[in-house]
Amino acid sequence: VVIQGRYMGTKYTAGLAATNKIAVGGPFLHGHTITVGSLEDGDITVDGIPALTRFPSAHQLPLALGFITYTAEGKLVDEATSEWEKHIVTMHLPLGVRIQVFRWKNYIDLRIVMSKQPNQDGSCSNFNGDPEDDTTEAVFSRIGARVPKGKLLFSDRAPVDLTSVEEKLLTLCEPARLKRAQAECAKDLSDLTRTPSVVQTQSCMLDICYGANEHTLKMAKSLGLVPDTE
């Protein structure tokens, strides 16, 4: 089971990352790939071909692998979004995997229900019952800071840049952690490129500095880096 996420900034988050799109594939889907992004991000696709082009609608996957629906039905992940019209993609997939993608204007919320898989790891960590190895730093050390070449499910790799707010946050990172992050990111990005660019390294360092922060935008506002009106 392979589930990949794309995290991108929005104008409402001062460039700080929100989940923008997911891609689902791997051996359990026999090489097929499903991608779902935000409402602004374009089509829902199966193997690169638009699917669920009407609302509501349903789509049967090849080889009787399951089906996906596009409706307004589903319990919200974040009740703060209850004022908005719901556009929910629900995937019913092999191995009992069920994924709901709540499509908002420029980001998505997710609910993933599945049994623990062999060698499971990633943004949601490894589900081994030990919170000590759930840090961004620990996850990067196990699987790398970015999806390596040859394993990307998306049709392209998103560009990486830093906003002025992110640059300021990087300067506020605790010096010892920042130094450690720089060394670790050089190693963790090695599967992506032999010579990571400055912005690729800085983006990785920012993840390590603030990956454990539940709401970095709120912290940035408390520090006066982002006006409360944004």
Side-chain angles (χ1 to χ4, degrees), residues 16 69 123 174 187:
L16 296 171
T69 62
S123 295
E174 194 270 321
K187 174 172 63 70

Side-chain angles (χ1 to χ4, degrees), residues 2-228:
V2 181
I3 303 172
Q4 296 177 1
R6 174 167 289 176
Y7 308 101
M8 299 184 71
T10 76
K11 65 181 181 180
Y12 303 103
T13 59
L16 296 171
T19 310
N20 171 265
K21 180 184 280 190
I22 70 161
V24 183
F28 91 124
L29 286 185
H30 296 260
H32 296 286
T33 303
I34 305 165
T35 62
V36 183
S38 68
L39 292 173
E40 288 184 344
D41 198 57
D43 296 324
I44 302 161
T45 69
V46 176
D47 297 331
I49 300 171
L52 302 176
T53 55
R54 293 178 292 106
F55 181 82
S57 59
H59 180 89
Q60 188 73 37
L61 295 173
L63 305 175
L65 290 169
F67 64 97
I68 53 178
T69 62
Y70 191 25
T71 70
E73 303 301 319
K75 184 179 179 181
L76 293 172
V77 173
D78 181 0
E79 288 299 328
T81 60
S82 60
E83 61 186 280
W84 301 332
E85 183 179 352
K86 292 189 289 187
H87 293 80
I88 305 171
V89 176
T90 302
M91 308 180 199
H92 301 266
L93 305 175
L95 304 180
V97 176
R98 186 170 183 266
I99 302 172
Q100 286 185 300
V101 185
F102 299 78
R103 305 181 77 205
W104 309 116
K105 185 177 180 182
N106 51 32
Y107 76 99
I108 61 174
D109 284 325
L110 296 170
R111 177 179 289 112
I112 301 172
V113 179
M114 59 187 287
S115 59
K116 183 180 177 181
Q117 301 296 307
N119 303 312
Q120 181 170 333
D121 215 335
S123 295
C124 299
S125 199
N126 53 18
F127 287 85
N128 65 354
D130 179 9
E132 296 300 316
D133 64 7
D134 290 347
T135 65
T136 302
E137 199 170 344
V139 172
F140 281 5
S141 71
R142 294 193 298 269
I143 65 171
R146 301 292 183 266
V147 177
K149 292 179 180 178
K151 294 188 177 181
L152 191 69
L153 294 179
F154 295 108
S155 59
D156 59 355
R157 195 174 290 276
V160 180
D161 55 20
L162 257 65
T163 64
S164 59
V165 171
E166 290 172 316
E167 289 173 347
K168 290 174 184 175
L169 282 170
L170 204 53
T171 66
L172 296 175
C173 183
E174 194 270 321
R177 177 180 286 272
L178 187 67
K179 184 177 180 179
R180 188 170 69 249
Q182 186 171 19
E184 291 185 1
C185 285
K187 174 172 63 70
D188 295 341
L189 288 167
S190 61
D191 283 344
L192 179 63
T193 176
R194 181 175 298 178
T195 308
S197 67
V198 171
V199 71
Q200 284 174 326
T201 302
Q202 288 177 328
S203 173
C204 173
M205 292 164 61
L206 192 73
D207 288 339
I208 289 179
C209 284
Y210 296 101
N213 193 305
E214 282 192 16
H215 207 303
T216 305
L217 180 59
K218 286 183 179 179
M219 187 196 75
K221 286 182 176 181
S222 72
L223 295 172
L225 301 181
V226 180
D228 279 333

